[in-house]
Amino acid sequence: MLLLICPYCGVAAEETELAPGGEAHLKRFGPGSSDAEFEAYLFARKNPKGVHFERWRHAYGCGKWFLAARCTATLEVFGTYPAQTSGPPDDIIDRIKARRPDWKGFA
Amino acid sequence: MSIRLTSGGRLIDRSAPIDFTFNGKHLRGFAGDTLASALLANGQMLVGRSFKYHRPRGIVASGAEEPNALVNLGQGARAEPNQRATTTELFDGLQARSQNHWPSLEFDVGVLNNYAARLLPGGFYYKTFIHPRAAWKHLFEPIIRQTAGLGAAPKDRDADRYEQVYAFCDLLVVGGGVAGLHAALVAARAGARVWLVEQSAHWGGRAPVDGDMIDALPAADWVNATVAELAGMANVTLRARTMAAGVYDHGYVLLDERLADHTPGDGRPRHRLWRMRAARIIAATGAIERPLSFAGNDVPGVMLASALRDYLVNWAVSPGQRTVVVTNNDDAYRTAIALHQAGQTVVAVIDARDQADGALPAQARALGIRVETGKAIARVKGGKHVTGVEVCRQTGDGTISRFLACNAVAMSGGWSPVVHLYSHCGGKLIWDEAGAMFRPDAAHPPITQDGSAMVIGAGAANGALREAIADADAQVRIALKAVGIKPKKSAVPRQDLPDEAALQPVWIMPQAAGVGLRAKVWLDYQNDVKVSDVQLAAREGYGSVEHAKRYTTLGMATDQGKISNINGLAVLAEALNEPVPQVGTTTFRPPYTPVPLGALAGEARGEIFQPLRKTPMDGWHAAQGATFEPVGLWRRPYCYPRPGETPRQAVAREVKNTRQALGLLDASTLGKIIVKGPDAGRFLDMLYTNVMSSLPVGRCRYGLMCNEQGFLSDDGVMARIDDDTWLCHTTSGGADRIHGWMEDWLQCEWWDWQVFTANVTEHYAQIAVVGPNARKLLERLGGMEVSQDALPFMAWADGSLAGFGCRVYRISFSGELSYEIAVPASQGAAFWQACHDAGASLGAMPYGTEALHVMRAEKGFIMIGDETDGTVTPQDLGLDWAVSKKKADFLGKRGQERSHLTSPDRWKLVGFETLDGSVIPEGAYVIAQGSNANGQRHVQGRVTSTYRSPTLGRGIAMGLLLRGPERMGEVVSFNTVDGSTVQARVVGPVFYDRDGEKQNV
Ligand SMILES: [Zn+2]
């Protein structure tokens, strides 16, 4: 029962208010893409033990999608941020590096 | 024989007798008794039989850790199996029955298993399941199943109600002993929002029983004063009878409050489940005493030393008038001293240590109690109760030095901190060599969302078995600091405790016990796991504690091994020749003690199990006696049977009437989503497989939506409302999902596109007016032009009918002349009634979802969820015409280009006509030649929709068939459940009005 702060309405939302959306920052590949690109887009997921970026929707709240940086092993939350970005913001990256010096970075 | 003493008992009220029954026998106890203390007061030592060998078992403990004294409580609608007698408060009229025996507790056939013990070694279940199968089926299973098992599951519906409440606090303190009380007080004085919960009905824990002094006050007085101060503070919530079942992510805790277990039927909910969110949790959950592992340690009358002391002090019950105390530590001497002071005989204290020179042994000796050091119990004598013990040297193999007659044994193997709450979310434990116990490792706590410690151990639960208050003081200050609250400076209450000498770990008694003794040394009383079973598991290669647990079932019973786990893994460690911490513990999982399913369900049962969505016309349908079916969370009329009609006859009548005269359908559940904005057309072109941006204002178009794999996800009719506004109709069950899908793409992928969406499904009631007389009805209602010229097929118009402002769509899902009319939801019922009133002489009848399905199947229209199952493309269904070839991109386009989706060998939509006119069974497959490796018949297709067509008077079906459209006219075979086959001819999917003339008049 995670608690994630919705970056839009500021509510510390319980997991029952949220709908999960899987891995964040996927790049969409449409017509014209290679089989390998399309496979990566549809199926290949990082599923790491540790730092992970994922999509959540404040489904039973403001209805907005947002992104969360979280440790899948300890459930520590490094931050949440609006979904309108193609990569994690710098302040989130800095916080993760401070908490997880061994982290290899967002790629 | 256990008896009630004539004086004493700090928790009982002798002026308030209470009558209860055990196995039908009428017994009497006092207010304040637990069922366990009342049974013992009545001389009832034997309370149950063990699971595997049906050994006679007595009460071992005095609290939640009790493994043996499980009873069936109550009867009928208030029957509850597996209730621990030790935590069941006595009430007038309580009915308890013992479990796991046949035919009676005193004489039990299953005890034969005891003599067949050599046939039932550790891993017995696995071995018999693996081979030989026949032995299990014919030999073991009938014996085990008839005689074993836990309590009987209740048969009647639970008469009680349960409720759930959300709660929030800065600090949740679990455990109302002196550590928890002090921690709560420090936090409360600092202004924190504090909750303090205690699983039993009483505050103070062990300290009042053990006669501790705190700040020069008797512990009981200090406890009362502290509780009184806490109760007077507005920022404090105190809850007794409330068990913290589990700690979950980010400070979420389930608290099970037993409101009316002891006052059944008084009108209150039986349990209240608190769904707590705590910023920090203090686990002041105390410690549980460990048994010692000697032969016959399960004979009724052998008890934990602390439990015996509890019965004596709290309830004035003496389990035996002649007691032997056996120990490896000083604490058990408290029991010897308490017995002596209560006038009971202590035969001897058998101390495994070579020396016992602490303050408590000295006091015992001074009272004249015989203390034998370096000694052990070789074997307990007695069947249904203890008759004596054989004493030997602890360091030997069990050679008997003397026999001591006694009728009770108080044992203590040391204490294990209750680390469950610390461990539930991954807190690590460290092995405390001095205390021979696992305690919380403060360096590796379970963490909360910011990465800091979520649970902090305090007092005995933190390994501070003696200076619990001082430890709690230190820990609560750490917890408060973490949540930004500054604790006030105050002196730590002083606990006056006698010095205690070190404990000596004793895992098997005597140390070199031979195999004959080891096979009678119980570790897990409830699941009947012995020292020899764990040693066998180690020999057979189950070196991991998690494997050994499952192989032997150690700790897997309803008590979850609260008193057995540490002893078991120490025995395993010895057998593996490894240190205890290297073997480690098994995983602690919630709940700490069982929570009734009723409490977890709360009020979510019966009619309010889940939300029920009703359309504005629902009351009318119910008044007409409609048969309902669930569609998502909606309920919709399936059909409207008339008196004497079966549902099937009703459906046939509704179909015929609609095709021949006039049918009215409540279509309000249809999803309605408005998509609006400068980029709305561009957005819909991406969402739908066909082109929606080109749809003229005032017109409708059928459209398909796919997921990125290219598989069909939803369908519906789109209406272009104005230049930048479209209204998307979705399936009844799909509105919320599709709205979420739209928002996902708009917010996360094309966030620079200017589009708004709104799900307005419930804003409108929608009525389908269907059949040859449909236009006549609208003309009678009057108010707008609905002719073929003014409102042609696939057009819509705003206007009014019979004075109701409405929007009329000329669309058809039945193949008939059809209008769908949307009015504001608040006017839905009135407009529905107006349609029936004006339509009566035109033959108007309501029809339900089944008639709707039959008519769409007669027309070969697909249904999402019938023809599709997440693996079906539009092309599979012959809907290529609705998939744009011109658009550069849409969701699913790239997916549909994958080779296996473009293969000609796909299963594709066709119709099926049975040769004999029968109806193909739902779910039937088209069989092919040959079988697969599992002997299953190869298949080449399946039926997706199958009905009896009242219009055509025979069975019709649609389905998917390998290269189906190329095989028109071929006869194929469908399998059926009874093994026969049904022959059907492959035909086109449209059975009725193939040219679509009827809807376009
Ligand atoms: Zn929000």
Side-chain angles (χ1 to χ4, degrees), chain B residues 892-947:
Chain B
K893 182 176 171 72
R894 176 63 181 86
Q896 287 166 3
E897 290 168 358
R898 289 179 295 167
S899 56
H900 65 291
L901 295 190
T902 55
S903 159
D905 287 331
R906 299 280 300 172
W907 289 8
K908 296 199 167 208
L909 188 78
V910 291
F912 294 107
E913 269 181 14
T914 51
L915 301 189
D916 59 2
S918 65
V919 181
I920 299 169
E922 280 187 31
Y925 277 84
V926 184
I927 55 180
Q929 291 303 311
S931 308
N932 67 15
N934 297 322
Q936 295 159 323
R937 191 71 187 255
H938 283 310
V939 294
Q940 55 175 329
R942 62 186 169 88
V943 73
T944 55
S945 293
T946 174
Y947 299 97

Side-chain angles (χ1 to χ4, degrees), chain B residues 10 258 408 836 897:
Chain B
R10 55 183 286 270
R258 294 175 289 116
H836 282 279
E897 290 168 358

Side-chain angles (χ1 to χ4, degrees), chain B residues 225-248:
Chain B
T226 307
V227 170
E229 182 175 349
L230 286 167
M233 298 172 87
N235 54 332
V236 176
T237 305
L238 292 172
R239 295 275 162 181
R241 299 191 176 98
T242 301
M243 187 266 301
V247 172
Y248 304 85

